């Protein structure tokens, strides 16, 4: 789970860095790029929301264990006797 998140974060950071380095000079851009910047911000927020929604903790069922007696036949007593215990988990 953390590996997916880390890969997605590195990918988003790489794309964002590449987009920032390829922007033209402010003198050439003027005000025509305001829509592109807003669209980039919206797409970035949407990508962040998708990545964050995938990073939810998973539910793990509790493990229940108990000790089960191990019985063996004892010919001296002519009955089953407990010789130990083993732990059984389910």
């Amino acid at each position: 789970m953390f590996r997916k998140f880390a890969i997605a974060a590195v990918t988003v950071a790489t794309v964002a860095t590449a987009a920032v380095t390829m922007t033209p000079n402010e003198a050439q851009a003027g005000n025509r790029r305001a829509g592109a910047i807003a669209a980039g911000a919206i797409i970035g927020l949407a990508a962040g929301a998708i990545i964050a929604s995938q990073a939810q903790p998973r539910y793990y069922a509790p493990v229940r264990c108990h000790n089960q007696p191990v019985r063996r036949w004892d010919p001296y007593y002519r009955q089953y006797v407990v010789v130990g215990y083993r732990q059984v988990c389910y």
Side-chain angles (χ1 to χ4, degrees):
M1 180 174 72
F2 179 73
R3 183 176 178 186
K4 284 187 194 176
F5 178 74
I7 291 172
V10 169
T11 304
V12 169
T14 304
V15 171
T17 304
V20 168
T21 57
M22 290 190 291
T23 57
N25 295 335
E26 289 293 323
Q28 294 176 352
N31 198 14
R32 295 177 297 180
R33 299 281 181 183
I37 292 172
I42 292 171
I43 292 172
L45 288 172
I50 291 169
I51 292 169
S53 69
Q54 296 298 319
Q56 296 176 355
R58 301 292 186 241
Y59 173 75
Y60 295 103
V63 177
R64 296 186 177 126
C65 299
H66 68 279
N67 292 327
Q68 182 179 28
V70 177
R71 300 176 190 263
R72 300 281 188 255
W73 177 257
D74 188 350
Y76 182 76
Y77 292 109
R78 294 185 182 195
Q79 64 183 3
Y80 285 96
V81 293
V82 177
V83 293
Y85 292 91
R86 66 178 175 181
Q87 191 173 26
V88 179
C89 299
Y90 54 91

